[in-house]
Amino acid sequence: MGIVAGLDSSPDFTRIVVCDTDTGAVLRQGYAPHPVESTEGGGRPSDVDPQAWLLSLGEAAGGGLLEGVQAIGVSAQQNGLVPLDAQGNTVRPALVGGDKRAQVAAADLVDALGGREAWAQAVGCVPQAAQPVTKLRWLNRTEPDAAVRTAVLLQAHDWLVWQLLGRPLRRTTDRGGASGTGYWSAATGAYRPDLVELALGHQATLPEVLGPSEAAGTTPEGLLISAGTGETMAAAFGLGIGLGDAVVSLGASGSVMAVHTEALADPSGMITSLADATGLHLPVVTTLNAVRTLRGAAELLGLPDLESLSELAMKSTPGSHGLVLLPYLEGERIPNLPHTAGTLSGLRRESMRPEHLARASFEGMLCGLADALDVLRGRGVDVRRVFLLGAAAELPAVQAAAPALFGAQVVVPQPADYAALGAARQAAWALGVSQGTLDPRLPPVWQGAVAQVLEPGEELAVGQAVRQQYVSVREQTHPGAFRA
């Protein structure tokens, strides 16, 4: 029996789990916030000194947490671009998060390559403000001196792995992390240096892309460091999802991803074609409106929290007495209606009751996410089981409606540090391969997530009728806007 560690450097903190290599059982864990001040208004900064990640890591690992650990895996926030000069020093603070400063740069890049379809074919995604390729364009246009000095491009997990290994000449990444950059194609498994030049204005050194079970290296003390990956891929690996599984994440906005055997090029730009941490693919569809829909409904109804909204919604019935809410409160990406607003349809005297509006907000949110699921199903992605993540997944109104609206078994895992667990599982895989005890094509089998399983059962027909009611209103209000 050995032990491994997985660390997840999220936008706000570092979490570390120390696990048994054979079962995945968590033996110890550590936590520390990043020493980063929030911006005016309480938001996250767009520029962060990467040293903050190291300081947080050191604090989380204090007290002998890593004693006896044989291998470490690193998961980190995606879209964090770390530009280095030729000597390996940061040219400027890391560009992190959904950087709205780069929205114009994203539109510039789309036009520069000849449109959305050209990008989808080239790298499996259309540039968004958050992506590293777009941040390079912003850097080139806004801070040209820093752009000229930029010689090496790393992401957050690449940089952390490189630091743990003592800053060797060799710099590495993995398929998962590379697939989110906008200059690596999951379909071909190759970089597009021409897109780096298009964005940055010149070529830059890019990290070597490792296979899922390969090690990035070994520290002078003999500690093996696995390839690392982005948070999304690490969480999927930690959950243990496979073919036939999808994950629906309920944040303010929503995301739907599923495991698939091939990369999907989507000319519409609705699908972002990512690679996973096992050698397969993770097509992702993002909606702009998920839990923000529920919060808006709660405020409108004068309710203090989402639990109260859920309790009220449970007093209504499926179909919300004919009320249908199209939850496009911030515009929407699925369907592509960036400048639209939400719609409340089906108002009659008997339906104008708080409980029906409460129920309609849950059904509208879930039907919007079902639309995103249908985008993937329409491209041949098999979805038999849906993992539902986020605090809102625990709400009774969500659990009552989701299985029938999604048309699939719904799994609600207990809250856990799934990204850190996925990083630890990757470390165990790389360690086993290095010792000759594991197949490089087959990851270690760990205990599955403890979860509640919900079946559509007899409610399936009712749920599909509710879904059809929603689709009818959507098509009447926005004819032809949605094509799954």
Side-chain angles (χ1 to χ4, degrees):
M1 185 183 80
I3 57 174
V4 292
L7 71 88
D8 174 37
S9 181
S10 83
D12 299 314
F13 54 78
T14 299
R15 281 196 195 280
I16 302 176
V17 294
V18 176
C19 300
D20 174 84
T21 51
D22 297 324
T23 66
V26 177
L27 308 174
R28 305 187 289 271
Q29 43 195 321
Y31 167 87
H34 293 323
V36 175
E37 293 183 9
S38 61
T39 60
E40 189 175 340
R44 292 175 181 150
S46 298
D47 295 340
V48 174
D49 183 347
Q51 292 297 326
W53 306 333
L54 277 184
L55 290 170
S56 164
L57 192 165
E59 186 179 343
L65 184 78
L66 299 180
E67 189 174 334
V69 165
Q70 297 164 279
I72 293 180
V74 177
S75 155
Q77 58 182 299
Q78 284 155 243
N79 299 320
L81 177 68
V82 186
L84 304 178
D85 63 19
Q87 287 72 46
N89 302 311
T90 50
V91 168
R92 67 176 317 283
L95 292 149
V96 297
D99 202 331
K100 291 185 176 180
R101 296 176 299 184
Q103 287 175 340
V104 172
D108 283 351
L109 279 177
V110 172
D111 292 341
L113 195 64
R116 299 166 70 85
E117 185 170 355
W119 278 97
Q121 294 294 338
V123 287
C125 60
V126 177
Q128 304 290 334
Q131 284 179 298
V133 71
T134 307
K135 288 169 175 168
L136 289 178
R137 181 75 157 197
W138 178 86
L139 191 65
N140 184 18
R141 295 296 168 86
T142 311
E143 300 178 5
D145 291 345
V148 167
R149 296 194 346 261
T150 298
V152 180
L153 301 177
L154 297 180
Q155 291 188 88
H157 82 81
D158 309 336
W159 187 85
L160 284 166
V161 165
W162 183 57
Q163 294 290 330
L164 289 172
L165 290 171
R167 297 164 59 104
L169 288 175
R170 181 189 187 218
R171 300 176 181 92
T172 61
T173 189
D174 86 306
R175 295 171 65 254
S179 66
T181 59
Y183 43 81
W184 185 87
S185 167
T188 64
Y191 280 116
R192 287 288 301 265
D194 57 314
L195 300 183
V196 173
E197 186 165 354
L198 180 69
L200 184 61
H202 61 87
Q203 293 290 343
T205 300
L206 303 171
E208 178 186 342
V209 181
L210 300 176
S213 61
E214 286 187 80
T218 305
T219 68
E221 298 77 30
L223 188 64
L224 184 139
I225 309 294
S226 63
T229 195
E231 270 190 317
T232 296
M233 300 78 189
F237 198 38
L239 279 167
I241 68 169
L243 292 171
D245 291 335
V247 176
V248 173
S249 295
L250 300 177
S253 55
S255 70
V256 177
M257 65 179 178
V259 181
H260 196 47
T261 53
E262 60 183 335
L264 298 177
D266 176 36
S268 73
M270 288 194 289
I271 298 173
T272 298
S273 192
L274 300 177
D276 80 345
T278 72
L280 294 171
H281 296 270
L282 274 180
V284 179
V285 179
T286 303
T287 69
L288 294 180
N289 300 280
V291 175
R292 63 166 40 100
T293 305
L294 305 182
R295 297 203 183 284
E299 290 169 11
L300 182 64
L301 291 167
L303 298 173
D305 50 41
L306 298 187
E307 288 74 19
S308 302
L309 183 72
S310 174
E311 186 179 343
L312 182 60
M314 294 299 284
K315 295 177 181 176
S316 181
T317 54
S320 309
H321 228 70
L323 280 188
V324 175
L325 176 65
L326 301 182
Y328 307 151
L329 307 185
E330 297 284 328
E332 192 45 88
R333 288 181 62 185
I334 309 299
N336 185 24
L337 298 166
H339 306 299
T340 195
T343 303
L344 184 63
S345 176
L347 284 170
R348 298 181 184 275
R349 179 66 190 88
E350 60 271 21
S351 65
M352 295 177 70
R353 297 186 58 82
E355 63 266 30
H356 301 321
L357 177 56
R359 177 102 188 185
S361 69
F362 282 95
E363 290 179 344
M365 175 189 75
L366 293 170
C367 283
L369 292 161
D371 279 351
L373 273 171
D374 281 352
V375 170
L376 297 177
R377 285 172 167 142
R379 292 297 306 275
V381 178
D382 183 25
V383 178
R384 285 165 286 157
R385 188 169 62 158
V386 175
F387 284 74
L388 203 54
L389 302 184
E394 303 287 337
L395 297 172
V398 169
Q399 296 190 4
L405 292 177
F406 291 161
Q409 182 187 79
V410 169
V411 179
V412 184
Q414 284 188 358
D417 302 320
Y418 290 109
L421 286 167
R425 190 179 176 204
Q426 186 194 65
W429 194 6
L431 180 65
V433 169
S434 74
Q435 295 173 338
T437 59
L438 286 178
D439 187 324
R441 297 162 297 178
L442 298 173
V445 178
W446 277 11
Q447 299 165 343
V450 177
Q452 186 177 3
V453 179
L454 309 167
E455 299 285 356
E458 296 176 358
E459 297 295 317
L460 181 59
V462 174
Q464 293 308 292
V466 173
R467 180 82 201 289
Q468 188 53 52
Q469 176 180 265
Y470 176 91
V471 169
S472 296
V473 171
R474 189 195 66 215
E475 284 300 304
Q476 289 166 12
T477 311
H478 303 287
F482 180 79
R483 291 287 179 267

